[in-house]
Amino acid sequence: MKLPTRVKIVDVGPRDGLQNEPETLPPQTRAELVNRLGAARLPRIEAASFVRPDAVPQMADAEQVVEAIERRDGTEYSGLALNVRGYERLVATGLDRVNFTLAATESFSRRNANQSLAEARAAAREVLERSELPVTLTISVAFGCPFEGKVDPGAVAELASEFGGAEVVLADTIGVATPRQVRALVERTHAPGVHLHNTRNTGYANAEAALDAGATLFDASCAGLGGCPYAPRATGNIATEDLVYLFEGDGIDTGVDLDALVATSTWLEGLLGRQLEGQVYRAGAWAGSTASRND
């Protein structure tokens, strides 16, 4: 298969990155992160999550976050919803895209969304029927579940085919996938996107495998922030700046300003008061790389 010459990277740091932090940042600070990512020319940013604040307090006041965003031409702003009520809140804010997430397993659906898988599928169908916004359907725990173990690829393929009207993203929520597994599932489902975690240091190899299989949409989180409150030990997403460096170095255009992205991750490190998981923001973009000359 011929590799794409350009990919779209979605920074999920303001949502998936911050939702696992021990402290809840003020809405204005979360909006500033979105604005910094927009200034770095991210083509899509997941700005907020429309979930119950008692369930994920780090994502409270999503409407205030969206209100404080300085919209940038060329950047699409999305939000996450797990049910119809979350979708309705999202639409009311004027965001550009819905990211509706449902699990590949019954146990994770009940833990993460407080609904059965059948209920989640019904909600996803309702959102797709009602939405005037474009919809991304993210299938969480597509490669492995913290409660049920290995996930049947056939079950994931069935879910993906059920929602053909959406942009499907396969999520390695707990970071257990390996490159051959990722390549096989992307090829089987024809999913355009993946959401990868680097929990077991396979995230970047998995991104390359997904690219080889035809994926052109990649979720990542600035500085490698992230994890899932309902998935034990599901640590960081792949770092956006590391993925940009990797792809750009191989001649695949992302359109992202790597230097601005590195500056954003450095700002985050100071804000959170600890060294973060990403590598490139600490090492710096090598002066001889294609990525460091992105303009």
Side-chain angles (χ1 to χ4, degrees), residues 275-293:
Q275 181 175 286
L276 304 176
E277 296 295 324
Q279 299 285 318
V280 170
Y281 93 90
R282 286 182 274 147
W286 179 49
S289 72
T290 303
S292 70
R293 300 190 302 275

Side-chain angles (χ1 to χ4, degrees), residues 40 43 90 119 211 275:
L90 187 161
E119 291 169 332
L211 183 75
Q275 181 175 286

Side-chain angles (χ1 to χ4, degrees), residues 152-164:
D152 176 12
V156 178
E158 181 184 344
L159 268 180
S161 65
E162 182 177 340
F163 300 102

Side-chain angles (χ1 to χ4, degrees), residues 71-204:
R71 298 293 185 95
R72 176 188 175 277
D73 290 342
T75 295
E76 184 181 41
Y77 298 86
S78 71
L80 179 134
L82 299 174
N83 51 41
V84 174
R85 173 57 184 148
Y87 158 76
E88 291 171 341
R89 288 178 58 201
L90 187 161
V91 170
T93 66
L95 284 172
D96 303 319
R97 173 177 288 270
V98 179
N99 180 13
F100 193 92
T101 299
L102 78 163
T105 68
E106 183 72 26
S107 299
F108 196 78
S109 183
R110 291 187 180 277
R111 296 287 189 99
N112 189 55
N114 196 31
Q115 56 189 340
S116 69
L117 185 50
E119 291 169 332
R121 290 167 85 155
R125 286 193 293 271
E126 180 176 347
V127 166
L128 279 170
E129 289 169 1
R130 290 176 54 182
S131 184
E132 295 182 3
L133 298 175
V135 179
T136 297
L137 184 85
T138 298
I139 302 175
S140 60
V141 296
F143 298 91
C145 174
F147 312 111
E148 297 186 21
K150 187 174 181 180
V151 174
D152 176 12
V156 178
E158 181 184 344
L159 268 180
S161 65
E162 182 177 340
F163 300 102
E167 174 187 74
V168 173
V169 171
L170 306 175
D172 183 21
T173 308
I174 58 173
V176 293
T178 56
R180 288 186 180 180
Q181 294 167 356
V182 170
R183 182 179 291 107
L185 195 56
V186 170
E187 288 177 344
R188 180 170 182 173
T189 61
H190 305 291
V194 288
H195 174 105
L196 302 169
H197 285 235
N198 199 41
T199 311
R200 291 166 177 83
N201 206 32
T202 57
Y204 301 98

